Amino acid sequence: MIQEIKGQLTPGKGNYSIVVSRFNEFITSKLLGGAIDCLQRHGASDEQIHVVWVPGACEITQAAKKLASSGKYAAVICLGAVIRGQTSHYDYVCQQVVRGIGQINYDYATPTVFGVLTCETFEQAVERAGTKMGNAGSDAARTAMEMANVIGQIE
Ligand code: INI
């Protein structure tokens, strides 16, 4: 018989940490609201949700690594908003956060979810922070629950 693992969209009993950057807080606060709302509507209690604010997207990885390596969380959700400006800074910030979160997933068993917007314009970010294109924070929280459940079943 085929053995199949499918993640349930339930928070389970574990805690979820959300690392959120203050840079572009107008956007990231909306992502945070979406993530918390999603976890709560799937049954998570306030006590299961821990929020860690960091200055910018470049700092997300360091906090996320500390949380993921602690083994205390069912999943770590990373939220940020990188928006292209007039310089190449955007490219370096994107590279750092993408590579960093990928490396955490490679190094630790705790699912660490990429909920960082990388947008050309402020309008694109607004569209993904609770308007036309949904809420990327909510999507990340859903992914975190599914992956926590999948990893739990594999273990
Ligand atoms: N940080 C962001 O979170 N988003 C951005 O769009 C951004 N840009 O474009 O500059 C940004 N820069 C700050 C960076 O993440 C660090 O906080 C800073 O360089 C200090 O290390």
Side-chain angles (χ1 to χ4, degrees):
M1 199 174 63
I2 295 172
Q3 302 286 313
E4 194 174 18
I5 290 176
K6 279 188 181 173
Q8 306 288 307
L9 284 182
T10 161
K13 294 194 189 321
N15 293 329
Y16 288 77
S17 58
I18 304 174
V19 183
V20 56
S21 54
R22 261 196 322 276
F23 205 103
N24 291 322
E25 189 178 351
F26 181 84
I27 300 293
T28 62
S29 60
K30 301 287 188 296
L31 301 180
L32 177 62
I36 291 173
D37 175 66
C38 180
L39 289 169
Q40 287 178 332
R41 282 193 292 114
H42 282 84
S45 65
D46 287 356
E47 288 66 33
Q48 284 177 278
I49 303 171
H50 301 179
V51 178
V52 178
W53 285 92
V54 295
C58 286
E59 287 73 39
I60 289 174
T61 319
Q62 194 172 22
K65 180 179 174 183
K66 189 86 177 160
L67 294 160
S69 65
S70 74
K72 293 179 183 164
Y73 292 96
V76 178
I77 300 163
C78 301
L79 304 177
V82 193
I83 303 173
R84 189 181 287 283
Q86 299 304 309
T87 68
S88 57
H89 200 66
Y90 166 92
D91 298 297
Y92 296 117
V93 175
C94 287
Q95 275 170 24
Q96 172 145 341
V97 69
V98 170
R99 203 179 64 83
I101 293 174
Q103 186 70 41
I104 295 169
N105 273 300
Y106 190 72
D107 289 344
Y108 303 101
T110 308
T112 301
V113 179
F114 188 85
V116 180
L117 294 176
T118 57
C119 297
E120 295 293 317
T121 64
F122 180 72
E123 287 69 26
Q124 287 177 354
V126 170
E127 284 177 3
R128 288 156 181 78
T131 62
K132 279 194 250 179
M133 304 286 289
N135 187 309
S138 176
D139 296 342
R142 210 172 301 111
T143 300
M145 284 185 282
E146 181 170 348
M147 282 308 295
N149 191 273
V150 166
I151 295 299
Q153 288 187 57
I154 293 171
E155 279 168 355

